[in-house]
Amino acid sequence: MNWFRTQSHGLIWLIVAFAIISCSEDKVGELPADVGLKDYYAPEFLIGAALNRRQITGESTEQMDLIAREYNSYTAENDMKSMHIHPSRDEYNFDVPDKLFELAEKNGAKVHGHTLIWHSQLSRFIREIEDPDEMRQTLTDHINTIAGRYAGRIDSWDVVNEAVEGDGSLRESVFYKVLGEDYLTLAFDLAAAADPTADLYYNDYSMTGEAKRNGVIRMVKKIQENGAKIDGIGMQAHWHLETPTLEEIETSILEYAALGVKIAITELDIDVLPNPRNVSGADIGQRAELSDEINPYKEGLPESVNEALARRYEDIFRLFKKHEDLISRVTFWGVNDGNSWKNNFPVRGRTNYPLLFDRNNKPKKAYHQVLQVKSGV
Ligand code: 9MR
């Protein structure tokens, strides 16, 4: 087995070395057909992407090669959230999730499940539960059925998503209101029983703020003290060109990792637009009105901003590489700029440029810089 692993690592490096030699800066659009970021970063961590329904089902024909080439971990952007996968008590929709697994298995990629327990995009029947026994039974059915179905095939799960507020207190979600904080340990216990082999994560946004960080650490310690299996913390990285600072990101990675868990950088995108009312993270309650002033790049991304984005991506990937021993996966929240939720948050209808590929699926300067952190070319 070890011999095999060494040999396959060697093979990956041979391919990567070939790619480095045959690819110079101005030829980044012409990378060898099947070598992408996932290969360059294979020794460090997985490179993932959130896929929307058209990508999962293969309808986005123009993106399928890119997806196969660049990423080795897939997450459904929406289709495994409760309102889609478990819309009413006795109804489960596994069609699209099953297709995600088929695509991943065809491409040799892993699947990260998003998400078992979340207050948002939550099926109505769960939102309306008031009785603790009914809630416990519902969580048990939900987790057993979904995590059980993909047991052994899935790499990891966001078991609980966004349970902590900015001030570090626990969010008063329906789960919290009905079961108190015990729902957290229960969710991790149920997931571990349904699939003992998957890595189990807690995932949240604005994870670099001090008050929230302390709240998350307190919560995870409690889950650990209660004897539940929690393997990792997902730091959603809905970040901006200047914020959070590299120091804040690094401190957070180190403090979370000190809990003895893996760190995944999840939901990575870099917002390049003016930030109305200083919205941070992904609280979808925070929205602002559209105006020309806050939608300045409708006609295209100025080169200066394209370069600033490339530098920002380079800086954060240097940091991720520095802490490769702590980081298991880096997942982009979307494939190209046109697909990104950031075109509609926190203002609907803007033209944003947060990812590595442009609206025509061409790699941007940021792609090259991320690659350069590894290749040195
Ligand atoms: O990208 C997702 C978008 O298509 C949905 O409309 C939105 C609804 O809440 O959810 C987005 O993904 C969210 C993720 O599931 C959890 N963290 C925040 C992400 C951005 O809102």
PDB file of all heavy atoms in Angstrom, residues 200-229:
ATOM      1  N   LEU A 200     -16.012  14.490   9.935  1.00  0.00           N
ATOM      2  CA  LEU A 200     -17.153  15.312  10.332  1.00  0.00           C
ATOM      3  C   LEU A 200     -16.696  16.722  10.714  1.00  0.00           C
ATOM      4  O   LEU A 200     -15.842  16.892  11.592  1.00  0.00           O
ATOM      5  CB  LEU A 200     -17.876  14.644  11.512  1.00  0.00           C
ATOM      6  CG  LEU A 200     -18.284  13.177  11.273  1.00  0.00           C
ATOM      7  CD1 LEU A 200     -19.008  12.616  12.502  1.00  0.00           C
ATOM      8  CD2 LEU A 200     -19.157  13.030  10.014  1.00  0.00           C
ATOM      9  N   TYR A 201     -17.283  17.718  10.049  1.00  0.00           N
ATOM     10  CA  TYR A 201     -16.856  19.112  10.216  1.00  0.00           C
ATOM     11  C   TYR A 201     -17.943  19.993  10.817  1.00  0.00           C
ATOM     12  O   TYR A 201     -19.136  19.781  10.578  1.00  0.00           O
ATOM     13  CB  TYR A 201     -16.489  19.727   8.845  1.00  0.00           C
ATOM     14  CG  TYR A 201     -15.133  19.331   8.344  1.00  0.00           C
ATOM     15  CD1 TYR A 201     -14.915  18.077   7.783  1.00  0.00           C
ATOM     16  CD2 TYR A 201     -14.046  20.207   8.435  1.00  0.00           C
ATOM     17  CE1 TYR A 201     -13.658  17.710   7.322  1.00  0.00           C
ATOM     18  CE2 TYR A 201     -12.792  19.847   7.970  1.00  0.00           C
ATOM     19  CZ  TYR A 201     -12.605  18.599   7.420  1.00  0.00           C
ATOM     20  OH  TYR A 201     -11.364  18.240   6.963  1.00  0.00           O
ATOM     21  N   TYR A 202     -17.490  21.022  11.529  1.00  0.00           N
ATOM     22  CA  TYR A 202     -18.323  22.182  11.830  1.00  0.00           C
ATOM     23  C   TYR A 202     -17.899  23.277  10.859  1.00  0.00           C
ATOM     24  O   TYR A 202     -16.700  23.544  10.698  1.00  0.00           O
ATOM     25  CB  TYR A 202     -18.115  22.660  13.293  1.00  0.00           C
ATOM     26  CG  TYR A 202     -18.864  23.952  13.490  1.00  0.00           C
ATOM     27  CD1 TYR A 202     -20.253  23.934  13.551  1.00  0.00           C
ATOM     28  CD2 TYR A 202     -18.203  25.186  13.527  1.00  0.00           C
ATOM     29  CE1 TYR A 202     -20.967  25.118  13.654  1.00  0.00           C
ATOM     30  CE2 TYR A 202     -18.919  26.374  13.631  1.00  0.00           C
ATOM     31  CZ  TYR A 202     -20.304  26.329  13.689  1.00  0.00           C
ATOM     32  OH  TYR A 202     -21.027  27.490  13.763  1.00  0.00           O
ATOM     33  N   ASN A 203     -18.841  23.952  10.205  1.00  0.00           N
ATOM     34  CA  ASN A 203     -18.526  24.921   9.148  1.00  0.00           C
ATOM     35  C   ASN A 203     -19.227  26.255   9.418  1.00  0.00           C
ATOM     36  O   ASN A 203     -20.401  26.282   9.774  1.00  0.00           O
ATOM     37  CB  ASN A 203     -19.034  24.330   7.816  1.00  0.00           C
ATOM     38  CG  ASN A 203     -18.623  25.128   6.599  1.00  0.00           C
ATOM     39  OD1 ASN A 203     -17.438  25.422   6.416  1.00  0.00           O
ATOM     40  ND2 ASN A 203     -19.583  25.480   5.753  1.00  0.00           N
ATOM     41  N   ASP A 204     -18.500  27.375   9.235  1.00  0.00           N
ATOM     42  CA  ASP A 204     -19.134  28.672   9.502  1.00  0.00           C
ATOM     43  C   ASP A 204     -18.393  29.785   8.775  1.00  0.00           C
ATOM     44  O   ASP A 204     -17.259  29.621   8.321  1.00  0.00           O
ATOM     45  CB  ASP A 204     -19.144  28.944  11.015  1.00  0.00           C
ATOM     46  CG  ASP A 204     -20.317  29.828  11.454  1.00  0.00           C
ATOM     47  OD1 ASP A 204     -20.812  30.640  10.645  1.00  0.00           O
ATOM     48  OD2 ASP A 204     -20.721  29.709  12.629  1.00  0.00           O
ATOM     49  N   TYR A 205     -19.062  30.945   8.670  1.00  0.00           N
ATOM     50  CA  TYR A 205     -18.452  32.132   8.041  1.00  0.00           C
ATOM     51  C   TYR A 205     -17.944  33.106   9.110  1.00  0.00           C
ATOM     52  O   TYR A 205     -18.195  32.924  10.305  1.00  0.00           O
ATOM     53  CB  TYR A 205     -19.446  32.825   7.098  1.00  0.00           C
ATOM     54  CG  TYR A 205     -20.730  33.318   7.748  1.00  0.00           C
ATOM     55  CD1 TYR A 205     -20.779  34.519   8.450  1.00  0.00           C
ATOM     56  CD2 TYR A 205     -21.902  32.580   7.635  1.00  0.00           C
ATOM     57  CE1 TYR A 205     -21.950  34.980   9.022  1.00  0.00           C
ATOM     58  CE2 TYR A 205     -23.090  33.030   8.207  1.00  0.00           C
ATOM     59  CZ  TYR A 205     -23.101  34.233   8.899  1.00  0.00           C
ATOM     60  OH  TYR A 205     -24.266  34.673   9.477  1.00  0.00           O
ATOM     61  N   SER A 206     -17.243  34.159   8.646  1.00  0.00           N
ATOM     62  CA  SER A 206     -16.658  35.168   9.563  1.00  0.00           C
ATOM     63  C   SER A 206     -15.888  34.512  10.696  1.00  0.00           C
ATOM     64  O   SER A 206     -15.972  34.941  11.860  1.00  0.00           O
ATOM     65  CB  SER A 206     -17.749  36.084  10.143  1.00  0.00           C
ATOM     66  OG  SER A 206     -18.426  36.762   9.117  1.00  0.00           O
ATOM     67  N   MET A 207     -15.112  33.497  10.364  1.00  0.00           N
ATOM     68  CA  MET A 207     -14.419  32.693  11.378  1.00  0.00           C
ATOM     69  C   MET A 207     -13.122  33.337  11.862  1.00  0.00           C
ATOM     70  O   MET A 207     -12.427  32.777  12.702  1.00  0.00           O
ATOM     71  CB  MET A 207     -14.105  31.312  10.806  1.00  0.00           C
ATOM     72  CG  MET A 207     -15.355  30.499  10.534  1.00  0.00           C
ATOM     73  SD  MET A 207     -16.034  29.828  12.048  1.00  0.00           S
ATOM     74  CE  MET A 207     -15.061  28.332  12.175  1.00  0.00           C
ATOM     75  N   THR A 208     -12.789  34.526  11.300  1.00  0.00           N
ATOM     76  CA  THR A 208     -11.544  35.169  11.716  1.00  0.00           C
ATOM     77  C   THR A 208     -11.786  36.254  12.762  1.00  0.00           C
ATOM     78  O   THR A 208     -10.834  36.773  13.335  1.00  0.00           O
ATOM     79  CB  THR A 208     -10.822  35.793  10.500  1.00  0.00           C
ATOM     80  OG1 THR A 208     -11.769  36.635   9.802  1.00  0.00           O
ATOM     81  CG2 THR A 208     -10.332  34.715   9.544  1.00  0.00           C
ATOM     82  N   GLY A 209     -13.038  36.601  13.021  1.00  0.00           N
ATOM     83  CA  GLY A 209     -13.331  37.596  14.059  1.00  0.00           C
ATOM     84  C   GLY A 209     -13.098  36.984  15.440  1.00  0.00           C
ATOM     85  O   GLY A 209     -13.445  35.826  15.672  1.00  0.00           O
ATOM     86  N   GLU A 210     -12.526  37.794  16.331  1.00  0.00           N
ATOM     87  CA  GLU A 210     -12.088  37.222  17.612  1.00  0.00           C
ATOM     88  C   GLU A 210     -13.252  36.683  18.459  1.00  0.00           C
ATOM     89  O   GLU A 210     -13.170  35.573  19.002  1.00  0.00           O
ATOM     90  CB  GLU A 210     -11.320  38.286  18.405  1.00  0.00           C
ATOM     91  CG  GLU A 210     -10.576  37.674  19.556  1.00  0.00           C
ATOM     92  CD  GLU A 210      -9.768  38.709  20.346  1.00  0.00           C
ATOM     93  OE1 GLU A 210      -9.598  39.842  19.841  1.00  0.00           O
ATOM     94  OE2 GLU A 210      -9.335  38.368  21.458  1.00  0.00           O
ATOM     95  N   ALA A 211     -14.325  37.465  18.554  1.00  0.00           N
ATOM     96  CA  ALA A 211     -15.435  37.038  19.418  1.00  0.00           C
ATOM     97  C   ALA A 211     -16.065  35.755  18.887  1.00  0.00           C
ATOM     98  O   ALA A 211     -16.340  34.806  19.642  1.00  0.00           O
ATOM     99  CB  ALA A 211     -16.486  38.141  19.497  1.00  0.00           C
ATOM    100  N   LYS A 212     -16.251  35.712  17.577  1.00  0.00           N
ATOM    101  CA  LYS A 212     -16.853  34.508  16.990  1.00  0.00           C
ATOM    102  C   LYS A 212     -15.911  33.318  17.144  1.00  0.00           C
ATOM    103  O   LYS A 212     -16.334  32.209  17.477  1.00  0.00           O
ATOM    104  CB  LYS A 212     -17.169  34.746  15.515  1.00  0.00           C
ATOM    105  CG  LYS A 212     -17.772  33.527  14.846  1.00  0.00           C
ATOM    106  CD  LYS A 212     -18.759  33.906  13.788  1.00  0.00           C
ATOM    107  CE  LYS A 212     -19.405  32.683  13.175  1.00  0.00           C
ATOM    108  NZ  LYS A 212     -20.438  33.029  12.215  1.00  0.00           N
ATOM    109  N   ARG A 213     -14.624  33.587  16.906  1.00  0.00           N
ATOM    110  CA  ARG A 213     -13.648  32.489  17.023  1.00  0.00           C
ATOM    111  C   ARG A 213     -13.691  31.871  18.418  1.00  0.00           C
ATOM    112  O   ARG A 213     -13.728  30.651  18.585  1.00  0.00           O
ATOM    113  CB  ARG A 213     -12.250  33.040  16.715  1.00  0.00           C
ATOM    114  CG  ARG A 213     -11.173  31.970  16.686  1.00  0.00           C
ATOM    115  CD  ARG A 213      -9.902  32.519  16.079  1.00  0.00           C
ATOM    116  NE  ARG A 213      -9.309  33.559  16.911  1.00  0.00           N
ATOM    117  CZ  ARG A 213      -8.827  34.709  16.451  1.00  0.00           C
ATOM    118  NH1 ARG A 213      -8.867  34.989  15.162  1.00  0.00           N
ATOM    119  NH2 ARG A 213      -8.298  35.599  17.273  1.00  0.00           N
ATOM    120  N   ASN A 214     -13.718  32.736  19.415  1.00  0.00           N
ATOM    121  CA  ASN A 214     -13.761  32.213  20.781  1.00  0.00           C
ATOM    122  C   ASN A 214     -15.038  31.417  21.041  1.00  0.00           C
ATOM    123  O   ASN A 214     -15.012  30.394  21.732  1.00  0.00           O
ATOM    124  CB  ASN A 214     -13.629  33.359  21.792  1.00  0.00           C
ATOM    125  CG  ASN A 214     -12.229  33.947  21.751  1.00  0.00           C
ATOM    126  OD1 ASN A 214     -11.275  33.279  21.330  1.00  0.00           O
ATOM    127  ND2 ASN A 214     -12.087  35.207  22.154  1.00  0.00           N
ATOM    128  N   GLY A 215     -16.133  31.882  20.470  1.00  0.00           N
ATOM    129  CA  GLY A 215     -17.406  31.160  20.619  1.00  0.00           C
ATOM    130  C   GLY A 215     -17.347  29.785  19.955  1.00  0.00           C
ATOM    131  O   GLY A 215     -17.818  28.796  20.515  1.00  0.00           O
ATOM    132  N   VAL A 216     -16.765  29.746  18.755  1.00  0.00           N
ATOM    133  CA  VAL A 216     -16.662  28.466  18.032  1.00  0.00           C
ATOM    134  C   VAL A 216     -15.756  27.506  18.815  1.00  0.00           C
ATOM    135  O   VAL A 216     -16.070  26.322  18.983  1.00  0.00           O
ATOM    136  CB  VAL A 216     -16.136  28.678  16.589  1.00  0.00           C
ATOM    137  CG1 VAL A 216     -15.769  27.353  15.941  1.00  0.00           C
ATOM    138  CG2 VAL A 216     -17.177  29.428  15.754  1.00  0.00           C
ATOM    139  N   ILE A 217     -14.656  28.039  19.333  1.00  0.00           N
ATOM    140  CA  ILE A 217     -13.726  27.176  20.090  1.00  0.00           C
ATOM    141  C   ILE A 217     -14.422  26.615  21.330  1.00  0.00           C
ATOM    142  O   ILE A 217     -14.323  25.424  21.640  1.00  0.00           O
ATOM    143  CB  ILE A 217     -12.440  27.964  20.438  1.00  0.00           C
ATOM    144  CG1 ILE A 217     -11.638  28.198  19.151  1.00  0.00           C
ATOM    145  CG2 ILE A 217     -11.598  27.231  21.485  1.00  0.00           C
ATOM    146  CD1 ILE A 217     -10.443  29.116  19.289  1.00  0.00           C
ATOM    147  N   ARG A 218     -15.168  27.487  22.020  1.00  0.00           N
ATOM    148  CA  ARG A 218     -15.916  27.032  23.207  1.00  0.00           C
ATOM    149  C   ARG A 218     -16.884  25.917  22.830  1.00  0.00           C
ATOM    150  O   ARG A 218     -16.952  24.879  23.488  1.00  0.00           O
ATOM    151  CB  ARG A 218     -16.741  28.206  23.774  1.00  0.00           C
ATOM    152  CG  ARG A 218     -16.242  28.733  25.089  1.00  0.00           C
ATOM    153  CD  ARG A 218     -17.218  29.679  25.780  1.00  0.00           C
ATOM    154  NE  ARG A 218     -18.033  30.536  24.942  1.00  0.00           N
ATOM    155  CZ  ARG A 218     -17.686  31.765  24.539  1.00  0.00           C
ATOM    156  NH1 ARG A 218     -16.530  32.276  24.882  1.00  0.00           N
ATOM    157  NH2 ARG A 218     -18.509  32.485  23.786  1.00  0.00           N
ATOM    158  N   MET A 219     -17.592  26.138  21.724  1.00  0.00           N
ATOM    159  CA  MET A 219     -18.605  25.158  21.302  1.00  0.00           C
ATOM    160  C   MET A 219     -17.953  23.823  20.917  1.00  0.00           C
ATOM    161  O   MET A 219     -18.425  22.752  21.324  1.00  0.00           O
ATOM    162  CB  MET A 219     -19.382  25.718  20.109  1.00  0.00           C
ATOM    163  CG  MET A 219     -20.440  24.786  19.583  1.00  0.00           C
ATOM    164  SD  MET A 219     -21.042  25.309  17.971  1.00  0.00           S
ATOM    165  CE  MET A 219     -19.662  24.815  16.947  1.00  0.00           C
ATOM    166  N   VAL A 220     -16.859  23.890  20.155  1.00  0.00           N
ATOM    167  CA  VAL A 220     -16.219  22.645  19.702  1.00  0.00           C
ATOM    168  C   VAL A 220     -15.649  21.881  20.909  1.00  0.00           C
ATOM    169  O   VAL A 220     -15.762  20.657  20.994  1.00  0.00           O
ATOM    170  CB  VAL A 220     -15.132  22.935  18.638  1.00  0.00           C
ATOM    171  CG1 VAL A 220     -14.278  21.702  18.351  1.00  0.00           C
ATOM    172  CG2 VAL A 220     -15.791  23.429  17.351  1.00  0.00           C
ATOM    173  N   LYS A 221     -15.062  22.630  21.867  1.00  0.00           N
ATOM    174  CA  LYS A 221     -14.535  21.963  23.076  1.00  0.00           C
ATOM    175  C   LYS A 221     -15.640  21.197  23.779  1.00  0.00           C
ATOM    176  O   LYS A 221     -15.446  20.086  24.270  1.00  0.00           O
ATOM    177  CB  LYS A 221     -13.944  23.001  24.040  1.00  0.00           C
ATOM    178  CG  LYS A 221     -12.524  23.387  23.674  1.00  0.00           C
ATOM    179  CD  LYS A 221     -11.903  24.188  24.800  1.00  0.00           C
ATOM    180  CE  LYS A 221     -10.427  24.452  24.483  1.00  0.00           C
ATOM    181  NZ  LYS A 221      -9.958  25.707  25.064  1.00  0.00           N
ATOM    182  N   LYS A 222     -16.792  21.810  23.849  1.00  0.00           N
ATOM    183  CA  LYS A 222     -17.915  21.170  24.530  1.00  0.00           C
ATOM    184  C   LYS A 222     -18.336  19.891  23.803  1.00  0.00           C
ATOM    185  O   LYS A 222     -18.598  18.858  24.432  1.00  0.00           O
ATOM    186  CB  LYS A 222     -19.086  22.149  24.573  1.00  0.00           C
ATOM    187  CG  LYS A 222     -20.032  21.866  25.669  1.00  0.00           C
ATOM    188  CD  LYS A 222     -20.421  23.127  26.335  1.00  0.00           C
ATOM    189  CE  LYS A 222     -20.943  23.015  27.716  1.00  0.00           C
ATOM    190  NZ  LYS A 222     -21.728  24.238  28.006  1.00  0.00           N
ATOM    191  N   ILE A 223     -18.391  19.973  22.490  1.00  0.00           N
ATOM    192  CA  ILE A 223     -18.763  18.780  21.699  1.00  0.00           C
ATOM    193  C   ILE A 223     -17.731  17.677  21.956  1.00  0.00           C
ATOM    194  O   ILE A 223     -18.073  16.508  22.140  1.00  0.00           O
ATOM    195  CB  ILE A 223     -18.849  19.130  20.191  1.00  0.00           C
ATOM    196  CG1 ILE A 223     -19.982  20.135  19.953  1.00  0.00           C
ATOM    197  CG2 ILE A 223     -19.048  17.885  19.337  1.00  0.00           C
ATOM    198  CD1 ILE A 223     -20.040  20.713  18.544  1.00  0.00           C
ATOM    199  N   GLN A 224     -16.452  18.068  22.012  1.00  0.00           N
ATOM    200  CA  GLN A 224     -15.389  17.079  22.275  1.00  0.00           C
ATOM    201  C   GLN A 224     -15.521  16.510  23.690  1.00  0.00           C
ATOM    202  O   GLN A 224     -15.414  15.296  23.896  1.00  0.00           O
ATOM    203  CB  GLN A 224     -14.010  17.731  22.106  1.00  0.00           C
ATOM    204  CG  GLN A 224     -13.682  18.082  20.662  1.00  0.00           C
ATOM    205  CD  GLN A 224     -12.391  18.877  20.527  1.00  0.00           C
ATOM    206  OE1 GLN A 224     -12.062  19.708  21.382  1.00  0.00           O
ATOM    207  NE2 GLN A 224     -11.660  18.648  19.445  1.00  0.00           N
ATOM    208  N   GLU A 225     -15.772  17.403  24.666  1.00  0.00           N
ATOM    209  CA  GLU A 225     -15.910  16.933  26.054  1.00  0.00           C
ATOM    210  C   GLU A 225     -17.090  15.971  26.206  1.00  0.00           C
ATOM    211  O   GLU A 225     -17.061  15.060  27.022  1.00  0.00           O
ATOM    212  CB  GLU A 225     -16.122  18.127  27.004  1.00  0.00           C
ATOM    213  CG  GLU A 225     -14.834  18.846  27.353  1.00  0.00           C
ATOM    214  CD  GLU A 225     -15.106  20.269  27.856  1.00  0.00           C
ATOM    215  OE1 GLU A 225     -16.259  20.553  28.283  1.00  0.00           O
ATOM    216  OE2 GLU A 225     -14.166  21.085  27.790  1.00  0.00           O
ATOM    217  N   ASN A 226     -18.104  16.196  25.389  1.00  0.00           N
ATOM    218  CA  ASN A 226     -19.266  15.296  25.432  1.00  0.00           C
ATOM    219  C   ASN A 226     -18.985  13.961  24.762  1.00  0.00           C
ATOM    220  O   ASN A 226     -19.862  13.105  24.681  1.00  0.00           O
ATOM    221  CB  ASN A 226     -20.484  15.948  24.770  1.00  0.00           C
ATOM    222  CG  ASN A 226     -21.024  17.090  25.612  1.00  0.00           C
ATOM    223  OD1 ASN A 226     -20.734  17.173  26.800  1.00  0.00           O
ATOM    224  ND2 ASN A 226     -21.797  17.967  25.002  1.00  0.00           N
ATOM    225  N   GLY A 227     -17.782  13.812  24.237  1.00  0.00           N
ATOM    226  CA  GLY A 227     -17.367  12.521  23.695  1.00  0.00           C
ATOM    227  C   GLY A 227     -17.738  12.299  22.233  1.00  0.00           C
ATOM    228  O   GLY A 227     -17.594  11.192  21.712  1.00  0.00           O
ATOM    229  N   ALA A 228     -18.210  13.348  21.560  1.00  0.00           N
ATOM    230  CA  ALA A 228     -18.592  13.158  20.148  1.00  0.00           C
ATOM    231  C   ALA A 228     -17.362  13.260  19.251  1.00  0.00           C
ATOM    232  O   ALA A 228     -16.357  13.875  19.614  1.00  0.00           O
ATOM    233  CB  ALA A 228     -19.625  14.194  19.740  1.00  0.00           C
ATOM    234  N   LYS A 229     -17.462  12.645  18.085  1.00  0.00           N
ATOM    235  CA  LYS A 229     -16.368  12.688  17.116  1.00  0.00           C
ATOM    236  C   LYS A 229     -16.547  13.936  16.233  1.00  0.00           C
ATOM    237  O   LYS A 229     -17.555  14.074  15.547  1.00  0.00           O
ATOM    238  CB  LYS A 229     -16.411  11.416  16.264  1.00  0.00           C
ATOM    239  CG  LYS A 229     -15.506  11.397  15.039  1.00  0.00           C
ATOM    240  CD  LYS A 229     -15.593  10.007  14.421  1.00  0.00           C
ATOM    241  CE  LYS A 229     -15.189   9.775  13.001  1.00  0.00           C
ATOM    242  NZ  LYS A 229     -15.122  10.681  11.989  1.00  0.00           N
TER     243      LYS A 229
END
